[in-house]
Amino acid sequence: MADYRTIKAEPLTNVVRAIVKAGGSADREAELVSTNLVEANLKGHDSHGVGMIPRYVQSVTNGGLAVNQHVKIVLDTGPLLTLDGLIGYGQVIGHEAMELAAERAKSNGVCLVGLSNAHHIGRIGHWAEQCIDHGLVSIHFVNVISRPIVAPWGGSDARHGTNPFCVGIPRRGKDPIVLDFATSRIAQGKTRVAHNKGDALEPGTIIDNEGEPTVNPRYTVIPPYGAILPFGEHKGSGLALVCEILGGALSGGQVVKGPSDGKYNVLNGMLSIVIDPGKLGTGENLAREVESFVAWHTGSPPGPGVDKIKIAGEPERETKTKRLVEGIPVDPTTWQDILEAGKKFGLDQAAIEKIAG
């Protein structure tokens, strides 16, 4: 990693905040976007971190991302919410959507919220963690309106996005369970990171533009495009199908219907179920039974090469602890892309370098 630069979380947040503000965003919006992206880096999900800024800048300049938007309530019956993101920054729209959902769940015991037309909402675990902070369980189905990048099981070209699935479960006095994964073998952003680093992918991860297996990530980043394969063969592909329909259609939004329009915009739809265990009358039972199962689950003797059995969300927390101390590694290509993005909003390279320290 000799070619990398390592930047501490605070100055990196300041860089992103400055770029977003230069693009016309209000202080609050710049704060939500910058902290969200850097949090993704801190938790090891560089695919959803500051490397997204060049795409955001491009979307702002081509009209695919509208600054200073707030979530629009289309329908509100208490336990049911339908929301429109108005192609605003997903970090703002997602935050506002989950705050509304948490409020309704605490009042009614549950809130089913359909969110459509949000620009890229980033790491979905972030929204589960927001619900966890309110003591709530949440389930999220997400679709992606952008260039199709994932092949259906048995297919030879891309037909949909990485379509994440996520569940968040709070624990009393202990770190929560946060299950958050793309329904593809690998997140699209991770292939971009591998391409920028010049790394090969694991065999069985992607196919090239002819539908043949390859380990070269360029087929997901530059034309001619191939596709990422679904995780878990037909099972992951089936879950991706469900995420597309629930996150895209039931939410009140749209689904992928054909090839990309050639722009770099990313819209997300998300169907979320947010539950108050106390209102359900099972809060005490949940707290007790979660600890019983986690103890049993993690008590399995580790297999060869495994130091301990971890629960969902634990690797991210470990990475965050490490990166808060050591800093966040940023590869040269990503850093140059960030500098170029800042330039498009009128920030020169020297100004950004100074902020980064």
Side-chain angles (χ1 to χ4, degrees):
M1 294 174 62
D3 292 330
Y4 280 59
R5 64 185 300 157
T6 302
I7 308 175
K8 288 294 184 76
E10 186 176 354
L12 189 56
T13 304
N14 292 340
V15 166
V16 177
R17 186 190 295 113
I19 293 172
V20 175
K21 281 185 70 172
S25 290
D27 289 350
R28 173 66 171 158
E29 180 159 281
E31 178 69 17
L32 286 171
V33 173
S34 58
T35 54
N36 175 288
L37 294 180
V38 172
E39 180 72 8
N41 286 109
L42 284 171
K43 291 193 167 169
H45 292 279
D46 296 327
S47 56
H48 291 66
V50 299
M52 289 302 300
I53 275 295
R55 289 194 72 171
Y56 291 1
V57 169
Q58 191 165 7
S59 291
V60 171
T61 55
N62 71 21
L65 167 54
V67 302
N68 299 319
Q69 294 295 320
H70 297 281
V71 74
K72 177 185 176 184
I73 298 176
V74 177
L75 177 140
D76 181 2
T77 70
L80 295 170
L81 268 177
T82 308
L83 307 172
D84 190 328
L86 304 174
I87 68 168
Y89 268 109
Q91 288 76 11
V92 174
I93 300 302
H95 176 82
E96 293 177 352
M98 290 303 101
E99 285 302 295
L100 287 169
E103 184 183 309
R104 304 300 188 277
K106 288 176 183 176
S107 299
N108 301 288
V110 65
C111 181
L112 180 79
V113 54
L115 172 65
S116 64
N117 300 319
H119 194 266
H120 186 246
I121 55 178
R123 186 178 69 91
I124 309 306
H126 191 94
W127 312 122
E129 289 161 359
Q130 187 176 337
C131 293
I132 285 165
D133 288 343
H134 287 283
L136 305 170
V137 171
S138 65
I139 305 165
H140 309 264
F141 302 88
V142 184
N143 88 318
V144 186
I145 300 295
S146 187
R147 173 173 61 84
I149 188 64
V150 183
W153 173 242
S156 60
D157 69 354
R159 294 285 157 152
H160 57 77
T162 53
N163 293 13
F165 173 75
C166 179
V167 179
I169 304 171
R171 294 168 68 199
R172 288 184 184 170
K174 294 188 178 180
D175 290 326
I177 296 166
V178 182
L179 177 71
D180 175 21
F181 57 77
T183 50
S184 52
R185 284 289 303 269
I186 187 174
Q188 182 178 358
K190 284 186 167 64
T191 68
R192 184 192 72 245
V193 171
H195 181 255
N196 288 349
K197 290 163 64 176
D199 291 346
L201 297 172
E202 289 288 326
T205 302
I206 65 171
I207 52 177
D208 65 17
N209 59 307
E210 301 292 333
E212 296 295 325
T214 180
V215 295
N216 189 341
R218 54 95 48 224
Y219 287 102
T220 66
V221 181
I222 54 176
Y225 295 116
I228 307 172
L229 296 172
F231 92 93
E233 302 177 340
H234 61 284
K235 296 178 183 180
S237 192
L239 185 55
L241 175 75
V242 167
C243 286
E244 186 71 36
I245 294 167
L246 297 184
L250 187 58
S251 69
Q254 53 189 316
V255 296
V256 176
K257 301 181 182 74
S260 167
D261 59 7
K263 296 180 180 178
Y264 283 90
N265 303 327
V266 184
L267 290 180
N268 287 129
M270 179 166 69
L271 185 81
S272 302
I273 304 164
V274 184
I275 304 162
D276 184 336
K279 280 280 203 284
L280 188 61
T282 62
E284 294 301 324
N285 189 70
L286 174 69
R288 182 179 64 250
E289 294 297 314
V290 162
E291 297 316 315
S292 294
F293 185 70
V294 167
W296 171 247
H297 178 81
T298 57
S300 177
V306 177
D307 59 341
K308 60 179 283 198
I309 308 302
K310 299 177 183 180
I311 61 168
E314 194 170 350
E316 286 84 355
R317 289 188 287 270
E318 290 175 351
T319 301
K320 181 175 179 177
T321 299
K322 186 169 183 279
R323 287 187 169 186
L324 278 173
V325 175
E326 298 177 0
I328 295 165
V330 181
D331 68 84
T333 303
T334 297
W335 183 247
Q336 189 57 43
D337 288 346
I338 290 171
L339 294 176
E340 293 295 327
K343 197 182 297 182
K344 289 179 183 175
F345 281 169
L347 288 177
D348 65 25
Q349 182 170 331
I352 296 174
E353 291 283 6
K354 185 176 180 182
I355 295 168

Short mmCIF file of all heavy atoms in Angstrom, two decimals, residues 108-132:
data_model
loop_
_atom_site.label_atom_id
_atom_site.label_comp_id
_atom_site.label_asym_id
_atom_site.label_seq_id
_atom_site.Cartn_x
_atom_site.Cartn_y
_atom_site.Cartn_z
N ASN A 108 -46.98 3.61 16.52
CA ASN A 108 -47.90 2.57 16.05
C ASN A 108 -47.39 1.15 16.22
O ASN A 108 -48.12 0.20 15.96
CB ASN A 108 -48.21 2.80 14.57
CG ASN A 108 -48.83 4.16 14.31
OD1 ASN A 108 -49.98 4.41 14.64
ND2 ASN A 108 -48.06 5.06 13.72
N GLY A 109 -46.12 1.01 16.62
CA GLY A 109 -45.54 -0.32 16.76
C GLY A 109 -44.80 -0.77 15.52
O GLY A 109 -43.85 -1.55 15.60
N VAL A 110 -45.24 -0.27 14.37
CA VAL A 110 -44.59 -0.64 13.12
C VAL A 110 -44.77 0.48 12.10
O VAL A 110 -45.76 1.23 12.18
CB VAL A 110 -45.17 -1.97 12.55
CG1 VAL A 110 -46.64 -1.80 12.16
CG2 VAL A 110 -44.36 -2.49 11.37
N CYS A 111 -43.83 0.60 11.20
CA CYS A 111 -43.99 1.50 10.06
C CYS A 111 -43.45 0.80 8.82
O CYS A 111 -42.33 0.30 8.83
CB CYS A 111 -43.25 2.81 10.28
SG CYS A 111 -43.47 3.97 8.89
N LEU A 112 -44.29 0.74 7.81
CA LEU A 112 -43.87 0.26 6.50
C LEU A 112 -43.67 1.49 5.64
O LEU A 112 -44.62 2.25 5.41
CB LEU A 112 -44.94 -0.65 5.90
CG LEU A 112 -44.59 -1.22 4.51
CD1 LEU A 112 -43.64 -2.39 4.66
CD2 LEU A 112 -45.84 -1.65 3.77
N VAL A 113 -42.44 1.71 5.17
CA VAL A 113 -42.16 2.93 4.41
C VAL A 113 -41.61 2.59 3.03
O VAL A 113 -40.66 1.82 2.89
CB VAL A 113 -41.20 3.87 5.18
CG1 VAL A 113 -39.93 3.17 5.59
CG2 VAL A 113 -40.87 5.12 4.37
N GLY A 114 -42.26 3.14 2.03
CA GLY A 114 -41.79 3.02 0.66
C GLY A 114 -41.13 4.32 0.24
O GLY A 114 -41.77 5.37 0.25
N LEU A 115 -39.85 4.26 -0.09
CA LEU A 115 -39.09 5.44 -0.52
C LEU A 115 -38.69 5.26 -1.97
O LEU A 115 -38.08 4.25 -2.33
CB LEU A 115 -37.85 5.61 0.35
CG LEU A 115 -36.84 6.69 -0.08
CD1 LEU A 115 -37.46 8.08 0.00
CD2 LEU A 115 -35.57 6.61 0.76
N SER A 116 -39.01 6.23 -2.80
CA SER A 116 -38.62 6.17 -4.21
C SER A 116 -37.84 7.42 -4.60
O SER A 116 -37.86 8.43 -3.90
CB SER A 116 -39.87 6.05 -5.10
OG SER A 116 -40.67 7.21 -4.98
N ASN A 117 -37.14 7.32 -5.73
CA ASN A 117 -36.47 8.47 -6.36
C ASN A 117 -35.45 9.17 -5.47
O ASN A 117 -35.30 10.39 -5.54
CB ASN A 117 -37.51 9.49 -6.84
CG ASN A 117 -38.45 8.90 -7.87
OD1 ASN A 117 -38.03 8.16 -8.76
ND2 ASN A 117 -39.73 9.21 -7.74
N ALA A 118 -34.76 8.41 -4.64
CA ALA A 118 -33.65 8.98 -3.87
C ALA A 118 -32.38 8.78 -4.67
O ALA A 118 -32.15 7.69 -5.22
CB ALA A 118 -33.52 8.29 -2.52
N HIS A 119 -31.55 9.81 -4.76
CA HIS A 119 -30.24 9.57 -5.35
C HIS A 119 -29.48 8.63 -4.42
O HIS A 119 -29.87 8.45 -3.26
CB HIS A 119 -29.47 10.90 -5.54
CG HIS A 119 -28.28 10.77 -6.42
ND1 HIS A 119 -27.01 10.54 -5.92
CD2 HIS A 119 -28.15 10.78 -7.78
CE1 HIS A 119 -26.16 10.44 -6.93
NE2 HIS A 119 -26.82 10.57 -8.07
N HIS A 120 -28.44 8.00 -4.90
CA HIS A 120 -27.68 6.96 -4.21
C HIS A 120 -27.71 7.07 -2.69
O HIS A 120 -27.20 8.03 -2.12
CB HIS A 120 -26.22 7.02 -4.70
CG HIS A 120 -25.37 5.92 -4.17
ND1 HIS A 120 -24.32 6.15 -3.30
CD2 HIS A 120 -25.39 4.59 -4.38
CE1 HIS A 120 -23.73 5.01 -3.00
NE2 HIS A 120 -24.36 4.05 -3.66
N ILE A 121 -28.34 6.10 -2.02
CA ILE A 121 -28.49 6.19 -0.57
C ILE A 121 -27.35 5.50 0.19
O ILE A 121 -27.36 5.44 1.41
CB ILE A 121 -29.86 5.66 -0.07
CG1 ILE A 121 -30.11 4.24 -0.56
CG2 ILE A 121 -30.98 6.58 -0.50
CD1 ILE A 121 -31.43 3.66 -0.06
N GLY A 122 -26.35 5.03 -0.56
CA GLY A 122 -25.12 4.57 0.08
C GLY A 122 -25.25 3.24 0.80
O GLY A 122 -26.04 2.38 0.43
N ARG A 123 -24.46 3.09 1.85
CA ARG A 123 -24.44 1.85 2.63
C ARG A 123 -25.76 1.69 3.38
O ARG A 123 -26.11 2.52 4.22
CB ARG A 123 -23.26 1.90 3.62
CG ARG A 123 -23.03 0.63 4.41
CD ARG A 123 -21.82 0.76 5.31
NE ARG A 123 -22.07 1.72 6.39
CZ ARG A 123 -22.56 1.40 7.60
NH1 ARG A 123 -22.85 0.15 7.89
NH2 ARG A 123 -22.72 2.32 8.52
N ILE A 124 -26.49 0.63 3.09
CA ILE A 124 -27.83 0.46 3.67
C ILE A 124 -27.76 0.20 5.17
O ILE A 124 -28.65 0.57 5.93
CB ILE A 124 -28.61 -0.66 2.94
CG1 ILE A 124 -28.57 -0.44 1.43
CG2 ILE A 124 -30.06 -0.70 3.43
CD1 ILE A 124 -29.05 0.94 0.97
N GLY A 125 -26.66 -0.41 5.61
CA GLY A 125 -26.48 -0.62 7.05
C GLY A 125 -26.55 0.67 7.85
O GLY A 125 -26.92 0.65 9.03
N HIS A 126 -26.22 1.78 7.21
CA HIS A 126 -26.30 3.09 7.88
C HIS A 126 -27.73 3.36 8.34
O HIS A 126 -27.95 3.90 9.43
CB HIS A 126 -25.83 4.17 6.90
CG HIS A 126 -25.61 5.51 7.53
ND1 HIS A 126 -24.39 5.93 7.99
CD2 HIS A 126 -26.47 6.54 7.78
CE1 HIS A 126 -24.49 7.15 8.50
NE2 HIS A 126 -25.74 7.54 8.37
N TRP A 127 -28.70 2.98 7.50
CA TRP A 127 -30.11 3.25 7.84
C TRP A 127 -30.61 2.28 8.89
O TRP A 127 -31.41 2.65 9.76
CB TRP A 127 -30.96 3.22 6.57
CG TRP A 127 -30.32 4.05 5.50
CD1 TRP A 127 -29.93 3.65 4.25
CD2 TRP A 127 -29.93 5.43 5.60
NE1 TRP A 127 -29.33 4.68 3.57
CE2 TRP A 127 -29.31 5.78 4.38
CE3 TRP A 127 -30.03 6.40 6.61
CZ2 TRP A 127 -28.80 7.06 4.14
CZ3 TRP A 127 -29.52 7.67 6.37
CH2 TRP A 127 -28.92 7.99 5.16
N ALA A 128 -30.14 1.04 8.85
CA ALA A 128 -30.47 0.09 9.91
C ALA A 128 -29.91 0.57 11.25
O ALA A 128 -30.58 0.47 12.28
CB ALA A 128 -29.92 -1.29 9.56
N GLU A 129 -28.68 1.11 11.22
CA GLU A 129 -28.07 1.62 12.45
C GLU A 129 -28.83 2.82 12.99
O GLU A 129 -28.94 3.00 14.22
CB GLU A 129 -26.61 1.99 12.16
CG GLU A 129 -25.72 0.78 11.94
CD GLU A 129 -24.41 1.07 11.24
OE1 GLU A 129 -24.16 2.25 10.88
OE2 GLU A 129 -23.64 0.12 11.02
N GLN A 130 -29.39 3.64 12.11
CA GLN A 130 -30.19 4.77 12.56
C GLN A 130 -31.44 4.28 13.29
O GLN A 130 -31.82 4.83 14.33
CB GLN A 130 -30.59 5.64 11.36
CG GLN A 130 -31.28 6.94 11.74
CD GLN A 130 -31.57 7.81 10.51
OE1 GLN A 130 -30.93 7.67 9.47
NE2 GLN A 130 -32.54 8.68 10.62
N CYS A 131 -32.06 3.23 12.76
CA CYS A 131 -33.23 2.64 13.43
C CYS A 131 -32.83 2.00 14.75
O CYS A 131 -33.55 2.13 15.76
CB CYS A 131 -33.89 1.61 12.52
SG CYS A 131 -34.66 2.30 11.03
N ILE A 132 -31.67 1.33 14.77
CA ILE A 132 -31.16 0.71 16.00
C ILE A 132 -30.97 1.76 17.09
O ILE A 132 -31.26 1.52 18.27
CB ILE A 132 -29.85 -0.04 15.71
CG1 ILE A 132 -30.15 -1.35 14.97
CG2 ILE A 132 -29.05 -0.30 16.99
CD1 ILE A 132 -28.93 -2.00 14.33
#
